[in-house]
């Protein structure tokens, strides 16, 4: 039998149902659905992030891109647009330069920085732009106490939804910065291939730590957007592992993964020392315990 899908998003829902729902009783159908879903994800950035925990350099964050946290229920672009605001829902970040004048201007600014720049200089310049936009450099040890919770909650309040344009954030952790770096690199014609990845840890302090990998002249680097902003760490080097919180560095900066690397939980606001509107934001965003 042949299945015909009207759009990538309807395909995702149907294939996922075959993969995990009642269709999973048929092992052959479930296997075929899983394989087809992975192939679709390679060419559709929102699906790739949701399913594979990564966006390859070839999968561009095109107009209408949105970022769902891996492991949550998949939503179509239409469903994302209809989201309201909840107390405990993780944010869904969107990036649509055609309808977001601020993002359009940020891409133009990035393009100006990258034009005629050597690839490594371009990567450093883009990293500086992203970090400056989302709270600046944070010392590795101090990242334990860095939180984007107040900024996320404030953006949700201002936009009236858990779905917020990435430009609404004035502060962000590794997840937010790596997404913005990928979006800008894709839209500003960066002279390097840029990928986005979420760490493979499913449990523990560093679940959800995100980072960007770039390839320059055949060599792969991870870009520091947090600490030594603009530093390029050769892939699998000790400095790279330290930044990604893997290997022997898996237990460093323990508190920061929950507070800064994954989409923020409003409950983090109880300890948000940088929140200048603390009482108001707490009253509006934090459910009673």
């Amino acid at each position: 039998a042949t299945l015909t899908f009207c759009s990538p998003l309807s395909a995702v829902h149907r294939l996922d149902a075959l993969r995990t729902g009642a269709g999973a009783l048929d092992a052959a159908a479930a296997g075929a659905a899983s394989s087809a879903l992975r192939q679709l994800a390679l060419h559709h950035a929102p699906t790739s992030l949701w399913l594979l925990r990564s966006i390859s350099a070839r999968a561009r964050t095109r107009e209408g891109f949105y970022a769902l946290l891996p492991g949550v229920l998949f939503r179509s672009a239409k469903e994302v647009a209809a989201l309201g605001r909840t107390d405990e829902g993780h944010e869904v970040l969107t990036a649509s330069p055609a309808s977001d004048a601020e993002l359009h201007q940020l891409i133009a600014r990035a393009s100006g920085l990258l034009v005629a720049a050597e690839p490594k200089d371009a990567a450093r310049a883009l990293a500086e732009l992203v970090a400056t936009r989302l709270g600046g450099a944070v010392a590795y040890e101090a990242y334990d106490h860095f939180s984007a919770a107040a900024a996320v909650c404030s953006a949700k309040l201002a936009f009236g939804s858990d779905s917020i344009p990435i430009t609404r954030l004035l502060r962000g952790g590794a997840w937010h910065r790596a997404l913005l770096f990928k979006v800008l690199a894709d839209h500003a014609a960066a002279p390097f291939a840029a990928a986005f990845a979420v760490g493979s840890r499913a449990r523990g302090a560093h679940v959800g730590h995100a980072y960007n990998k770039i390839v320059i002249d055949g060599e792969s680097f991870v870009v520091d957007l947090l600490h030594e902003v603009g530093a390029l760490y050769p892939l699998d080097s000790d400095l790279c592992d330290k930044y990604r919180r893997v290997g022997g560095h898996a237990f460093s900066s323990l508190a920061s993964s929950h507070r800064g690397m994954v989409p923020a939980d409003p409950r983090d606001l109880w300890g948000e020392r940088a929140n200048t509107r603390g009482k108001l934001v707490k009253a509006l965003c934090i459910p009673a315990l």
Side-chain angles (χ1 to χ4, degrees), residues 9-10 21 24 30 32-33 52 71 130-131 143 152 156 159 163 171 181 189 199 209 212 218 223 233 236 258 263 274:
L9 298 176
S10 63
L52 306 178
V130 168
Y143 198 51
V152 169
K156 285 184 178 183
F159 208 63
S163 171
R171 184 178 173 92
F181 186 93
H209 183 52
N212 299 101
V223 185
Y233 305 130
D236 296 326
H258 179 65

Side-chain angles (χ1 to χ4, degrees), residues 13-277:
H13 284 111
R14 297 190 191 188
L15 289 170
D16 193 43
L18 280 173
R19 181 177 67 114
T20 61
L25 296 175
D26 184 333
S34 180
S35 178
L37 190 56
R38 292 178 71 87
Q39 286 299 314
L40 187 154
L42 295 177
H43 304 283
H44 185 248
T47 303
S48 182
L49 177 56
W50 170 76
L51 181 70
L52 306 178
R53 303 175 65 88
S54 64
I55 307 172
S56 72
R58 287 186 290 180
R60 300 283 177 165
T61 53
R62 304 183 188 281
E63 176 69 23
F65 171 75
Y66 57 96
L68 297 169
L69 184 66
V72 303
L73 177 69
F74 184 82
R75 298 178 187 273
S76 68
K78 184 176 181 180
E79 290 169 331
V80 167
L83 281 177
R85 193 182 73 78
T86 64
D87 284 329
E88 300 198 43
H90 286 305
E91 74 268 24
V92 178
L93 297 178
T94 65
S96 298
S99 58
D100 184 344
E102 193 171 358
L103 180 57
H104 182 80
Q105 293 171 2
L106 193 59
I107 291 169
R109 185 178 173 189
S111 297
L113 292 173
L114 304 184
V115 65
E118 293 296 320
K120 288 186 178 180
D121 292 336
R124 294 184 184 105
L126 191 59
E128 289 280 0
L129 178 61
V130 168
T132 299
R133 174 91 188 181
L134 291 175
V138 185
Y140 194 87
E141 297 76 13
Y143 198 51
D144 271 3
H145 307 291
F146 183 90
S147 173
V152 169
C153 195
S154 179
K156 285 184 178 183
L157 287 171
F159 208 63
S161 174
D162 286 348
S163 171
I164 52 177
I166 197 167
T167 50
R168 291 291 179 119
L169 293 181
L170 300 179
R171 184 178 173 92
W175 165 266
H176 312 97
R177 297 184 189 207
L179 281 170
L180 183 57
F181 186 93
K182 170 64 173 168
V183 168
L184 294 179
D186 286 350
H187 287 272
F192 50 78
F196 171 95
V198 180
S200 59
R201 297 182 68 86
R203 294 185 180 185
H206 293 304
V207 60
H209 183 52
Y211 57 90
N212 299 101
K213 184 181 78 172
I214 65 172
V215 179
I216 298 175
D217 295 331
E219 187 174 3
S220 297
F221 302 90
V222 164
V223 185
D224 191 329
L225 304 176
L226 293 167
H227 313 303
E228 300 295 329
V229 174
L232 305 179
Y233 305 130
L235 190 64
D236 296 326
S237 66
D238 185 64
L239 286 173
C240 175
D241 288 350
K242 182 178 180 180
Y243 182 78
R244 294 186 298 167
R245 274 72 171 177
V246 300
H249 304 285
F251 298 100
S252 59
S253 301
L254 287 178
S256 59
S257 284
H258 179 65
R259 296 174 60 81
M261 296 178 192
V262 300
D265 185 327
R267 296 172 195 269
D268 283 345
L269 288 168
W270 288 115
E272 175 56 81
R273 287 181 283 182
N275 176 17
T276 57
R277 297 169 58 231

